[in-house]
Amino acid sequence: MAKNPKILSIVLAGGEGTRLMPLTRDRAKPAVPFGGVYRLIDFPLSNLVNSGYRQVVVLTQYKSHSLDRHISQVWRFSPLLGSYVSPVPAQQRLGKHWYLGSADAIYQTINIIEDVQPDIVVIVGADHVYRMDFEQMVQQHIESGAEFTVAGIRQPIEESNQFGVIEVDPDHPNMIRNFQEKPATTTGLPDNPNQILASMGNYVANTKALFEALALDEKAADTKHDMGGDIAPYFASRNEAGVYDFNSNEIPGSTVTDHAYWRDVGTIKQFYDAHMDLIAYVPEFNLYNQDWPIYTMSGGNLPPAKFVHAGRDRLGHATDSIVSPGVIVSGGEVHHSVLSPNVRIHSWAQIVDSVLFDGVIINRRARVYKAILDKNVVLTENSTVGIDTEHDLARGFTVTPDGITVVPKNTIVDD
């Protein structure tokens, strides 16, 4: 391995995101807004750029228009030093089909990797919220002698069927003895039977070994062409798979509270809970860490947020909330919520425990409780969301078992 190996980063951003419906009805999952001003794709891209990796390919597929537009508008680098973030749709170079899985997505873009000729490929998912210095993972990968390294994080054992589960070699704690993709049952860790070491969906691979594994997978009969389900077990079976403990990753400016924070936001509940993490008094994920910023086109040409009316009968205010640029709270009440750009809250309206996307308008005396309102939703005067579950369901809104109501974009809610 070269002393300063050449790195190419690949972001897997082609997932359909069915568990996030209706938020993914018209957009790819990585393009879903998050935290007021961001989109989910901003988190892996920010991590890669902050790690010093600035040659990035983003593999897209489903409903990718808004994702492609966001990347082209926000993630532009000077070409002087060869930096780029390039969205690449399914190429169909190997047949008239879209990506059959994450491994097939990489295999279909081998020509792009060959053009760059990297020593190492860093492969990351596009739908998780976290901070990570991938350079630290790459260094451990090189030092371990592994051909393929998986980033791992501890998770409750009852969630093992949602993750790739890593069994570490006790004699070589940086190497994987066994890897199971979403097993129905498994055993816990030796030091904590109630936990497993789960794959984060982030990988580092030596290019030549990766090409060989992908070529074998492409010809295999019993395969889902998946990085976690097929490629990781392949390397583990050859004693060539390493594991990187995410807990050891040190981020400048991190705190005890948000150290090693990582959230899968693949479901409505997970997506909602991650937003609630942002607005805790001591946030579990600190958006304000400028030593490791999350980049986006924040604010653009929008004016600052504005709060008006301070009379006895109406007070425009927000508490325990995130309020984005362009928002006007005009005599309404906002509590424990996230307001995206250009939201309007009118007099005597109430927004509690909710997430409002761009351009939402809440008219007078309307009420929103424990809800996610997609872009450009309008509540007419006296309308409600999240108050009456049966009423919400009758109107075609999504209501999760946890009581989170989701209203699709461009909906006019008129009671």
PDB file of all heavy atoms in Angstrom, residues 1 5-10 106 109-123 141 146-148 204-215 235:
ATOM      1  N   MET A   1       0.848  -1.198   0.000  1.00  0.00           N
ATOM      2  CA  MET A   1       0.000   0.000   0.000  1.00  0.00           C
ATOM      3  C   MET A   1       0.886   1.252   0.000  1.00  0.00           C
ATOM      4  O   MET A   1       1.864   1.317   0.749  1.00  0.00           O
ATOM      5  CB  MET A   1      -0.915  -0.007   1.222  1.00  0.00           C
ATOM      6  CG  MET A   1      -1.886   1.161   1.297  1.00  0.00           C
ATOM      7  SD  MET A   1      -3.122   1.148  -0.027  1.00  0.00           S
ATOM      8  CE  MET A   1      -4.012  -0.371   0.381  1.00  0.00           C
ATOM      9  N   PRO A   5      -2.092   6.716   0.124  1.00  0.00           N
ATOM     10  CA  PRO A   5      -2.916   6.053  -0.887  1.00  0.00           C
ATOM     11  C   PRO A   5      -3.936   6.999  -1.499  1.00  0.00           C
ATOM     12  O   PRO A   5      -4.425   7.928  -0.861  1.00  0.00           O
ATOM     13  CB  PRO A   5      -3.605   4.936  -0.095  1.00  0.00           C
ATOM     14  CG  PRO A   5      -3.605   5.410   1.326  1.00  0.00           C
ATOM     15  CD  PRO A   5      -2.326   6.170   1.473  1.00  0.00           C
ATOM     16  N   LYS A   6      -4.247   6.738  -2.751  1.00  0.00           N
ATOM     17  CA  LYS A   6      -5.265   7.520  -3.452  1.00  0.00           C
ATOM     18  C   LYS A   6      -6.638   6.976  -3.080  1.00  0.00           C
ATOM     19  O   LYS A   6      -6.873   5.762  -3.142  1.00  0.00           O
ATOM     20  CB  LYS A   6      -5.045   7.437  -4.959  1.00  0.00           C
ATOM     21  CG  LYS A   6      -5.920   8.391  -5.752  1.00  0.00           C
ATOM     22  CD  LYS A   6      -5.526   8.386  -7.225  1.00  0.00           C
ATOM     23  CE  LYS A   6      -6.324   9.431  -8.002  1.00  0.00           C
ATOM     24  NZ  LYS A   6      -5.941   9.441  -9.446  1.00  0.00           N
ATOM     25  N   ILE A   7      -7.534   7.884  -2.709  1.00  0.00           N
ATOM     26  CA  ILE A   7      -8.851   7.496  -2.194  1.00  0.00           C
ATOM     27  C   ILE A   7      -9.943   7.994  -3.137  1.00  0.00           C
ATOM     28  O   ILE A   7      -9.947   9.154  -3.547  1.00  0.00           O
ATOM     29  CB  ILE A   7      -9.111   8.086  -0.793  1.00  0.00           C
ATOM     30  CG1 ILE A   7      -7.939   7.809   0.159  1.00  0.00           C
ATOM     31  CG2 ILE A   7     -10.434   7.579  -0.226  1.00  0.00           C
ATOM     32  CD1 ILE A   7      -7.768   6.384   0.565  1.00  0.00           C
ATOM     33  N   LEU A   8     -10.883   7.116  -3.454  1.00  0.00           N
ATOM     34  CA  LEU A   8     -12.130   7.508  -4.120  1.00  0.00           C
ATOM     35  C   LEU A   8     -13.276   7.155  -3.187  1.00  0.00           C
ATOM     36  O   LEU A   8     -13.321   6.058  -2.627  1.00  0.00           O
ATOM     37  CB  LEU A   8     -12.309   6.774  -5.447  1.00  0.00           C
ATOM     38  CG  LEU A   8     -13.657   7.038  -6.155  1.00  0.00           C
ATOM     39  CD1 LEU A   8     -13.740   8.487  -6.635  1.00  0.00           C
ATOM     40  CD2 LEU A   8     -13.867   6.076  -7.320  1.00  0.00           C
ATOM     41  N   SER A   9     -14.198   8.085  -3.019  1.00  0.00           N
ATOM     42  CA  SER A   9     -15.365   7.851  -2.153  1.00  0.00           C
ATOM     43  C   SER A   9     -16.611   7.637  -3.005  1.00  0.00           C
ATOM     44  O   SER A   9     -16.820   8.350  -3.996  1.00  0.00           O
ATOM     45  CB  SER A   9     -15.584   9.036  -1.211  1.00  0.00           C
ATOM     46  OG  SER A   9     -14.435   9.253  -0.409  1.00  0.00           O
ATOM     47  N   ILE A  10     -17.422   6.685  -2.601  1.00  0.00           N
ATOM     48  CA  ILE A  10     -18.679   6.391  -3.287  1.00  0.00           C
ATOM     49  C   ILE A  10     -19.802   6.451  -2.269  1.00  0.00           C
ATOM     50  O   ILE A  10     -19.746   5.795  -1.220  1.00  0.00           O
ATOM     51  CB  ILE A  10     -18.644   5.006  -3.958  1.00  0.00           C
ATOM     52  CG1 ILE A  10     -17.550   4.963  -5.028  1.00  0.00           C
ATOM     53  CG2 ILE A  10     -20.006   4.670  -4.563  1.00  0.00           C
ATOM     54  CD1 ILE A  10     -17.410   3.617  -5.714  1.00  0.00           C
ATOM     55  N   ILE A 106     -22.049  -0.783  -7.212  1.00  0.00           N
ATOM     56  CA  ILE A 106     -20.598  -0.569  -7.311  1.00  0.00           C
ATOM     57  C   ILE A 106     -20.047  -1.257  -8.553  1.00  0.00           C
ATOM     58  O   ILE A 106     -19.234  -0.686  -9.300  1.00  0.00           O
ATOM     59  CB  ILE A 106     -19.882  -1.098  -6.051  1.00  0.00           C
ATOM     60  CG1 ILE A 106     -20.454  -0.468  -4.773  1.00  0.00           C
ATOM     61  CG2 ILE A 106     -18.376  -0.844  -6.149  1.00  0.00           C
ATOM     62  CD1 ILE A 106     -20.221   0.997  -4.639  1.00  0.00           C
ATOM     63  N   THR A 109     -20.377   0.477 -11.808  1.00  0.00           N
ATOM     64  CA  THR A 109     -19.580   1.712 -11.950  1.00  0.00           C
ATOM     65  C   THR A 109     -18.078   1.434 -11.867  1.00  0.00           C
ATOM     66  O   THR A 109     -17.288   2.341 -11.608  1.00  0.00           O
ATOM     67  CB  THR A 109     -19.970   2.741 -10.870  1.00  0.00           C
ATOM     68  OG1 THR A 109     -19.839   2.145  -9.572  1.00  0.00           O
ATOM     69  CG2 THR A 109     -21.400   3.208 -11.055  1.00  0.00           C
ATOM     70  N   ILE A 110     -17.687   0.177 -12.104  1.00  0.00           N
ATOM     71  CA  ILE A 110     -16.267  -0.167 -12.045  1.00  0.00           C
ATOM     72  C   ILE A 110     -15.459   0.668 -13.036  1.00  0.00           C
ATOM     73  O   ILE A 110     -14.311   1.053 -12.766  1.00  0.00           O
ATOM     74  CB  ILE A 110     -16.066  -1.676 -12.294  1.00  0.00           C
ATOM     75  CG1 ILE A 110     -16.272  -2.447 -10.975  1.00  0.00           C
ATOM     76  CG2 ILE A 110     -14.695  -1.969 -12.870  1.00  0.00           C
ATOM     77  CD1 ILE A 110     -16.033  -3.934 -11.072  1.00  0.00           C
ATOM     78  N   ASN A 111     -16.056   0.970 -14.189  1.00  0.00           N
ATOM     79  CA  ASN A 111     -15.320   1.779 -15.181  1.00  0.00           C
ATOM     80  C   ASN A 111     -14.959   3.154 -14.622  1.00  0.00           C
ATOM     81  O   ASN A 111     -13.884   3.694 -14.918  1.00  0.00           O
ATOM     82  CB  ASN A 111     -16.148   1.935 -16.454  1.00  0.00           C
ATOM     83  CG  ASN A 111     -17.431   2.729 -16.228  1.00  0.00           C
ATOM     84  OD1 ASN A 111     -18.275   2.308 -15.431  1.00  0.00           O
ATOM     85  ND2 ASN A 111     -17.576   3.851 -16.914  1.00  0.00           N
ATOM     86  N   ILE A 112     -15.849   3.728 -13.792  1.00  0.00           N
ATOM     87  CA  ILE A 112     -15.560   5.031 -13.192  1.00  0.00           C
ATOM     88  C   ILE A 112     -14.427   4.904 -12.179  1.00  0.00           C
ATOM     89  O   ILE A 112     -13.541   5.760 -12.102  1.00  0.00           O
ATOM     90  CB  ILE A 112     -16.836   5.587 -12.530  1.00  0.00           C
ATOM     91  CG1 ILE A 112     -17.904   5.860 -13.588  1.00  0.00           C
ATOM     92  CG2 ILE A 112     -16.526   6.856 -11.733  1.00  0.00           C
ATOM     93  CD1 ILE A 112     -19.238   6.276 -13.018  1.00  0.00           C
ATOM     94  N   ILE A 113     -14.455   3.822 -11.399  1.00  0.00           N
ATOM     95  CA  ILE A 113     -13.373   3.584 -10.433  1.00  0.00           C
ATOM     96  C   ILE A 113     -12.056   3.377 -11.167  1.00  0.00           C
ATOM     97  O   ILE A 113     -11.012   3.918 -10.771  1.00  0.00           O
ATOM     98  CB  ILE A 113     -13.704   2.368  -9.540  1.00  0.00           C
ATOM     99  CG1 ILE A 113     -15.038   2.583  -8.815  1.00  0.00           C
ATOM    100  CG2 ILE A 113     -12.587   2.135  -8.525  1.00  0.00           C
ATOM    101  CD1 ILE A 113     -15.515   1.365  -8.035  1.00  0.00           C
ATOM    102  N   GLU A 114     -12.096   2.609 -12.259  1.00  0.00           N
ATOM    103  CA  GLU A 114     -10.869   2.362 -13.022  1.00  0.00           C
ATOM    104  C   GLU A 114     -10.305   3.653 -13.608  1.00  0.00           C
ATOM    105  O   GLU A 114      -9.078   3.811 -13.700  1.00  0.00           O
ATOM    106  CB  GLU A 114     -11.164   1.356 -14.136  1.00  0.00           C
ATOM    107  CG  GLU A 114     -11.402  -0.055 -13.638  1.00  0.00           C
ATOM    108  CD  GLU A 114     -11.813  -1.000 -14.748  1.00  0.00           C
ATOM    109  OE1 GLU A 114     -12.406  -0.540 -15.751  1.00  0.00           O
ATOM    110  OE2 GLU A 114     -11.554  -2.214 -14.608  1.00  0.00           O
ATOM    111  N   ASP A 115     -11.168   4.570 -13.981  1.00  0.00           N
ATOM    112  CA  ASP A 115     -10.676   5.846 -14.519  1.00  0.00           C
ATOM    113  C   ASP A 115      -9.880   6.622 -13.471  1.00  0.00           C
ATOM    114  O   ASP A 115      -8.904   7.304 -13.795  1.00  0.00           O
ATOM    115  CB  ASP A 115     -11.856   6.702 -15.007  1.00  0.00           C
ATOM    116  CG  ASP A 115     -12.479   6.163 -16.287  1.00  0.00           C
ATOM    117  OD1 ASP A 115     -11.833   5.332 -16.954  1.00  0.00           O
ATOM    118  OD2 ASP A 115     -13.617   6.556 -16.597  1.00  0.00           O
ATOM    119  N   VAL A 116     -10.313   6.528 -12.203  1.00  0.00           N
ATOM    120  CA  VAL A 116      -9.633   7.250 -11.124  1.00  0.00           C
ATOM    121  C   VAL A 116      -8.385   6.501 -10.653  1.00  0.00           C
ATOM    122  O   VAL A 116      -7.407   7.109 -10.220  1.00  0.00           O
ATOM    123  CB  VAL A 116     -10.609   7.471  -9.943  1.00  0.00           C
ATOM    124  CG1 VAL A 116      -9.923   8.169  -8.771  1.00  0.00           C
ATOM    125  CG2 VAL A 116     -11.825   8.269 -10.404  1.00  0.00           C
ATOM    126  N   GLN A 117      -8.418   5.172 -10.725  1.00  0.00           N
ATOM    127  CA  GLN A 117      -7.333   4.301 -10.272  1.00  0.00           C
ATOM    128  C   GLN A 117      -6.962   4.534  -8.803  1.00  0.00           C
ATOM    129  O   GLN A 117      -5.792   4.779  -8.463  1.00  0.00           O
ATOM    130  CB  GLN A 117      -6.098   4.477 -11.160  1.00  0.00           C
ATOM    131  CG  GLN A 117      -6.325   4.053 -12.598  1.00  0.00           C
ATOM    132  CD  GLN A 117      -5.064   4.116 -13.436  1.00  0.00           C
ATOM    133  OE1 GLN A 117      -4.139   4.884 -13.170  1.00  0.00           O
ATOM    134  NE2 GLN A 117      -4.997   3.283 -14.453  1.00  0.00           N
ATOM    135  N   PRO A 118      -7.924   4.434  -7.903  1.00  0.00           N
ATOM    136  CA  PRO A 118      -7.609   4.619  -6.484  1.00  0.00           C
ATOM    137  C   PRO A 118      -6.982   3.360  -5.892  1.00  0.00           C
ATOM    138  O   PRO A 118      -7.194   2.243  -6.389  1.00  0.00           O
ATOM    139  CB  PRO A 118      -8.993   4.861  -5.866  1.00  0.00           C
ATOM    140  CG  PRO A 118      -9.908   4.044  -6.731  1.00  0.00           C
ATOM    141  CD  PRO A 118      -9.348   4.130  -8.129  1.00  0.00           C
ATOM    142  N   ASP A 119      -6.232   3.546  -4.835  1.00  0.00           N
ATOM    143  CA  ASP A 119      -5.744   2.399  -4.071  1.00  0.00           C
ATOM    144  C   ASP A 119      -6.844   1.851  -3.166  1.00  0.00           C
ATOM    145  O   ASP A 119      -6.917   0.648  -2.927  1.00  0.00           O
ATOM    146  CB  ASP A 119      -4.544   2.812  -3.212  1.00  0.00           C
ATOM    147  CG  ASP A 119      -3.394   3.339  -4.043  1.00  0.00           C
ATOM    148  OD1 ASP A 119      -2.850   2.572  -4.842  1.00  0.00           O
ATOM    149  OD2 ASP A 119      -3.050   4.531  -3.896  1.00  0.00           O
ATOM    150  N   ILE A 120      -7.672   2.761  -2.650  1.00  0.00           N
ATOM    151  CA  ILE A 120      -8.706   2.412  -1.670  1.00  0.00           C
ATOM    152  C   ILE A 120     -10.014   3.083  -2.076  1.00  0.00           C
ATOM    153  O   ILE A 120     -10.020   4.221  -2.543  1.00  0.00           O
ATOM    154  CB  ILE A 120      -8.288   2.867  -0.254  1.00  0.00           C
ATOM    155  CG1 ILE A 120      -7.142   1.992   0.270  1.00  0.00           C
ATOM    156  CG2 ILE A 120      -9.464   2.832   0.722  1.00  0.00           C
ATOM    157  CD1 ILE A 120      -6.579   2.457   1.589  1.00  0.00           C
ATOM    158  N   VAL A 121     -11.111   2.355  -1.869  1.00  0.00           N
ATOM    159  CA  VAL A 121     -12.441   2.903  -2.107  1.00  0.00           C
ATOM    160  C   VAL A 121     -13.169   2.989  -0.767  1.00  0.00           C
ATOM    161  O   VAL A 121     -13.242   1.997  -0.027  1.00  0.00           O
ATOM    162  CB  VAL A 121     -13.246   2.029  -3.090  1.00  0.00           C
ATOM    163  CG1 VAL A 121     -14.631   2.635  -3.327  1.00  0.00           C
ATOM    164  CG2 VAL A 121     -12.500   1.874  -4.408  1.00  0.00           C
ATOM    165  N   VAL A 122     -13.673   4.168  -0.457  1.00  0.00           N
ATOM    166  CA  VAL A 122     -14.503   4.375   0.732  1.00  0.00           C
ATOM    167  C   VAL A 122     -15.958   4.391   0.277  1.00  0.00           C
ATOM    168  O   VAL A 122     -16.331   5.193  -0.584  1.00  0.00           O
ATOM    169  CB  VAL A 122     -14.150   5.691   1.449  1.00  0.00           C
ATOM    170  CG1 VAL A 122     -15.075   5.931   2.629  1.00  0.00           C
ATOM    171  CG2 VAL A 122     -12.696   5.664   1.917  1.00  0.00           C
ATOM    172  N   ILE A 123     -16.777   3.503   0.840  1.00  0.00           N
ATOM    173  CA  ILE A 123     -18.168   3.347   0.419  1.00  0.00           C
ATOM    174  C   ILE A 123     -19.068   3.652   1.612  1.00  0.00           C
ATOM    175  O   ILE A 123     -18.935   3.031   2.675  1.00  0.00           O
ATOM    176  CB  ILE A 123     -18.432   1.912  -0.088  1.00  0.00           C
ATOM    177  CG1 ILE A 123     -17.486   1.583  -1.241  1.00  0.00           C
ATOM    178  CG2 ILE A 123     -19.890   1.749  -0.517  1.00  0.00           C
ATOM    179  CD1 ILE A 123     -17.461   0.100  -1.600  1.00  0.00           C
ATOM    180  N   HIS A 141      -7.697   0.583   8.735  1.00  0.00           N
ATOM    181  CA  HIS A 141      -7.799  -0.412   7.665  1.00  0.00           C
ATOM    182  C   HIS A 141      -6.424  -0.765   7.117  1.00  0.00           C
ATOM    183  O   HIS A 141      -6.087  -1.939   6.954  1.00  0.00           O
ATOM    184  CB  HIS A 141      -8.702   0.132   6.555  1.00  0.00           C
ATOM    185  CG  HIS A 141      -8.666  -0.674   5.292  1.00  0.00           C
ATOM    186  ND1 HIS A 141      -9.390  -1.836   5.136  1.00  0.00           N
ATOM    187  CD2 HIS A 141      -7.983  -0.478   4.118  1.00  0.00           C
ATOM    188  CE1 HIS A 141      -9.177  -2.323   3.925  1.00  0.00           C
ATOM    189  NE2 HIS A 141      -8.314  -1.529   3.287  1.00  0.00           N
ATOM    190  N   ALA A 146      -6.248  -5.696   6.548  1.00  0.00           N
ATOM    191  CA  ALA A 146      -7.495  -6.214   5.996  1.00  0.00           C
ATOM    192  C   ALA A 146      -7.663  -5.752   4.549  1.00  0.00           C
ATOM    193  O   ALA A 146      -7.143  -4.710   4.142  1.00  0.00           O
ATOM    194  CB  ALA A 146      -8.680  -5.749   6.833  1.00  0.00           C
ATOM    195  N   GLU A 147      -8.411  -6.542   3.784  1.00  0.00           N
ATOM    196  CA  GLU A 147      -8.765  -6.141   2.426  1.00  0.00           C
ATOM    197  C   GLU A 147     -10.053  -5.321   2.411  1.00  0.00           C
ATOM    198  O   GLU A 147     -10.291  -4.548   1.482  1.00  0.00           O
ATOM    199  CB  GLU A 147      -8.950  -7.390   1.535  1.00  0.00           C
ATOM    200  CG  GLU A 147      -7.707  -8.238   1.348  1.00  0.00           C
ATOM    201  CD  GLU A 147      -6.697  -7.619   0.400  1.00  0.00           C
ATOM    202  OE1 GLU A 147      -6.935  -6.490  -0.088  1.00  0.00           O
ATOM    203  OE2 GLU A 147      -5.648  -8.249   0.151  1.00  0.00           O
ATOM    204  N   PHE A 148     -10.866  -5.500   3.446  1.00  0.00           N
ATOM    205  CA  PHE A 148     -12.202  -4.890   3.493  1.00  0.00           C
ATOM    206  C   PHE A 148     -12.526  -4.626   4.955  1.00  0.00           C
ATOM    207  O   PHE A 148     -12.378  -5.516   5.798  1.00  0.00           O
ATOM    208  CB  PHE A 148     -13.214  -5.881   2.892  1.00  0.00           C
ATOM    209  CG  PHE A 148     -14.622  -5.362   2.756  1.00  0.00           C
ATOM    210  CD1 PHE A 148     -15.006  -4.646   1.640  1.00  0.00           C
ATOM    211  CD2 PHE A 148     -15.580  -5.627   3.731  1.00  0.00           C
ATOM    212  CE1 PHE A 148     -16.304  -4.193   1.490  1.00  0.00           C
ATOM    213  CE2 PHE A 148     -16.879  -5.177   3.597  1.00  0.00           C
ATOM    214  CZ  PHE A 148     -17.245  -4.458   2.470  1.00  0.00           C
ATOM    215  N   VAL A 204     -14.567   0.330   3.887  1.00  0.00           N
ATOM    216  CA  VAL A 204     -13.307   0.718   3.242  1.00  0.00           C
ATOM    217  C   VAL A 204     -12.743  -0.544   2.602  1.00  0.00           C
ATOM    218  O   VAL A 204     -12.658  -1.594   3.251  1.00  0.00           O
ATOM    219  CB  VAL A 204     -12.311   1.297   4.264  1.00  0.00           C
ATOM    220  CG1 VAL A 204     -10.950   1.523   3.607  1.00  0.00           C
ATOM    221  CG2 VAL A 204     -12.838   2.605   4.849  1.00  0.00           C
ATOM    222  N   ALA A 205     -12.362  -0.443   1.328  1.00  0.00           N
ATOM    223  CA  ALA A 205     -11.904  -1.635   0.610  1.00  0.00           C
ATOM    224  C   ALA A 205     -10.689  -1.330  -0.234  1.00  0.00           C
ATOM    225  O   ALA A 205     -10.583  -0.249  -0.840  1.00  0.00           O
ATOM    226  CB  ALA A 205     -13.027  -2.182  -0.274  1.00  0.00           C
ATOM    227  N   ASN A 206      -9.773  -2.283  -0.279  1.00  0.00           N
ATOM    228  CA  ASN A 206      -8.686  -2.217  -1.249  1.00  0.00           C
ATOM    229  C   ASN A 206      -9.280  -2.478  -2.629  1.00  0.00           C
ATOM    230  O   ASN A 206     -10.051  -3.428  -2.816  1.00  0.00           O
ATOM    231  CB  ASN A 206      -7.610  -3.246  -0.925  1.00  0.00           C
ATOM    232  CG  ASN A 206      -6.912  -2.952   0.393  1.00  0.00           C
ATOM    233  OD1 ASN A 206      -6.971  -1.822   0.908  1.00  0.00           O
ATOM    234  ND2 ASN A 206      -6.254  -3.959   0.955  1.00  0.00           N
ATOM    235  N   THR A 207      -8.915  -1.660  -3.579  1.00  0.00           N
ATOM    236  CA  THR A 207      -9.610  -1.668  -4.868  1.00  0.00           C
ATOM    237  C   THR A 207      -9.521  -3.011  -5.582  1.00  0.00           C
ATOM    238  O   THR A 207     -10.530  -3.540  -6.059  1.00  0.00           O
ATOM    239  CB  THR A 207      -9.042  -0.559  -5.777  1.00  0.00           C
ATOM    240  OG1 THR A 207      -9.141   0.694  -5.099  1.00  0.00           O
ATOM    241  CG2 THR A 207      -9.808  -0.490  -7.078  1.00  0.00           C
ATOM    242  N   LYS A 208      -8.350  -3.587  -5.667  1.00  0.00           N
ATOM    243  CA  LYS A 208      -8.193  -4.843  -6.400  1.00  0.00           C
ATOM    244  C   LYS A 208      -9.025  -5.954  -5.781  1.00  0.00           C
ATOM    245  O   LYS A 208      -9.735  -6.691  -6.491  1.00  0.00           O
ATOM    246  CB  LYS A 208      -6.710  -5.251  -6.422  1.00  0.00           C
ATOM    247  CG  LYS A 208      -6.457  -6.541  -7.187  1.00  0.00           C
ATOM    248  CD  LYS A 208      -4.973  -6.914  -7.185  1.00  0.00           C
ATOM    249  CE  LYS A 208      -4.750  -8.239  -7.911  1.00  0.00           C
ATOM    250  NZ  LYS A 208      -3.308  -8.632  -7.877  1.00  0.00           N
ATOM    251  N   ALA A 209      -8.970  -6.067  -4.448  1.00  0.00           N
ATOM    252  CA  ALA A 209      -9.747  -7.109  -3.766  1.00  0.00           C
ATOM    253  C   ALA A 209     -11.244  -6.869  -3.933  1.00  0.00           C
ATOM    254  O   ALA A 209     -12.023  -7.808  -4.089  1.00  0.00           O
ATOM    255  CB  ALA A 209      -9.374  -7.156  -2.284  1.00  0.00           C
ATOM    256  N   LEU A 210     -11.647  -5.610  -3.912  1.00  0.00           N
ATOM    257  CA  LEU A 210     -13.060  -5.285  -4.101  1.00  0.00           C
ATOM    258  C   LEU A 210     -13.521  -5.697  -5.491  1.00  0.00           C
ATOM    259  O   LEU A 210     -14.595  -6.298  -5.644  1.00  0.00           O
ATOM    260  CB  LEU A 210     -13.281  -3.786  -3.894  1.00  0.00           C
ATOM    261  CG  LEU A 210     -14.713  -3.283  -4.116  1.00  0.00           C
ATOM    262  CD1 LEU A 210     -15.673  -3.894  -3.101  1.00  0.00           C
ATOM    263  CD2 LEU A 210     -14.762  -1.757  -4.046  1.00  0.00           C
ATOM    264  N   PHE A 211     -12.737  -5.411  -6.518  1.00  0.00           N
ATOM    265  CA  PHE A 211     -13.100  -5.794  -7.887  1.00  0.00           C
ATOM    266  C   PHE A 211     -13.278  -7.302  -7.989  1.00  0.00           C
ATOM    267  O   PHE A 211     -14.222  -7.785  -8.623  1.00  0.00           O
ATOM    268  CB  PHE A 211     -12.021  -5.332  -8.866  1.00  0.00           C
ATOM    269  CG  PHE A 211     -12.079  -3.868  -9.206  1.00  0.00           C
ATOM    270  CD1 PHE A 211     -13.014  -3.024  -8.615  1.00  0.00           C
ATOM    271  CD2 PHE A 211     -11.204  -3.322 -10.136  1.00  0.00           C
ATOM    272  CE1 PHE A 211     -13.074  -1.675  -8.928  1.00  0.00           C
ATOM    273  CE2 PHE A 211     -11.252  -1.977 -10.461  1.00  0.00           C
ATOM    274  CZ  PHE A 211     -12.185  -1.154  -9.857  1.00  0.00           C
ATOM    275  N   GLU A 212     -12.373  -8.050  -7.387  1.00  0.00           N
ATOM    276  CA  GLU A 212     -12.456  -9.518  -7.451  1.00  0.00           C
ATOM    277  C   GLU A 212     -13.732 -10.024  -6.772  1.00  0.00           C
ATOM    278  O   GLU A 212     -14.413 -10.909  -7.295  1.00  0.00           O
ATOM    279  CB  GLU A 212     -11.219 -10.132  -6.805  1.00  0.00           C
ATOM    280  CG  GLU A 212      -9.930  -9.887  -7.586  1.00  0.00           C
ATOM    281  CD  GLU A 212      -8.685 -10.336  -6.832  1.00  0.00           C
ATOM    282  OE1 GLU A 212      -8.824 -10.755  -5.650  1.00  0.00           O
ATOM    283  OE2 GLU A 212      -7.585 -10.260  -7.401  1.00  0.00           O
ATOM    284  N   ALA A 213     -14.048  -9.454  -5.620  1.00  0.00           N
ATOM    285  CA  ALA A 213     -15.250  -9.880  -4.901  1.00  0.00           C
ATOM    286  C   ALA A 213     -16.510  -9.534  -5.683  1.00  0.00           C
ATOM    287  O   ALA A 213     -17.458 -10.331  -5.749  1.00  0.00           O
ATOM    288  CB  ALA A 213     -15.281  -9.217  -3.524  1.00  0.00           C
ATOM    289  N   LEU A 214     -16.555  -8.349  -6.278  1.00  0.00           N
ATOM    290  CA  LEU A 214     -17.732  -7.939  -7.039  1.00  0.00           C
ATOM    291  C   LEU A 214     -17.909  -8.794  -8.288  1.00  0.00           C
ATOM    292  O   LEU A 214     -19.047  -9.121  -8.668  1.00  0.00           O
ATOM    293  CB  LEU A 214     -17.609  -6.463  -7.421  1.00  0.00           C
ATOM    294  CG  LEU A 214     -17.669  -5.457  -6.269  1.00  0.00           C
ATOM    295  CD1 LEU A 214     -17.360  -4.053  -6.781  1.00  0.00           C
ATOM    296  CD2 LEU A 214     -19.023  -5.486  -5.584  1.00  0.00           C
ATOM    297  N   ALA A 215     -16.814  -9.168  -8.926  1.00  0.00           N
ATOM    298  CA  ALA A 215     -16.905 -10.008 -10.123  1.00  0.00           C
ATOM    299  C   ALA A 215     -17.457 -11.389  -9.769  1.00  0.00           C
ATOM    300  O   ALA A 215     -18.291 -11.948 -10.505  1.00  0.00           O
ATOM    301  CB  ALA A 215     -15.526 -10.133 -10.776  1.00  0.00           C
ATOM    302  N   PHE A 235     -15.656 -11.523   2.455  1.00  0.00           N
ATOM    303  CA  PHE A 235     -14.347 -11.193   3.019  1.00  0.00           C
ATOM    304  C   PHE A 235     -14.172 -11.803   4.409  1.00  0.00           C
ATOM    305  O   PHE A 235     -13.069 -12.237   4.767  1.00  0.00           O
ATOM    306  CB  PHE A 235     -14.159  -9.683   3.068  1.00  0.00           C
ATOM    307  CG  PHE A 235     -13.809  -9.068   1.747  1.00  0.00           C
ATOM    308  CD1 PHE A 235     -14.737  -8.313   1.044  1.00  0.00           C
ATOM    309  CD2 PHE A 235     -12.546  -9.246   1.201  1.00  0.00           C
ATOM    310  CE1 PHE A 235     -14.416  -7.755  -0.179  1.00  0.00           C
ATOM    311  CE2 PHE A 235     -12.212  -8.691  -0.024  1.00  0.00           C
ATOM    312  CZ  PHE A 235     -13.159  -7.943  -0.725  1.00  0.00           C
TER     313      PHE A 235
END
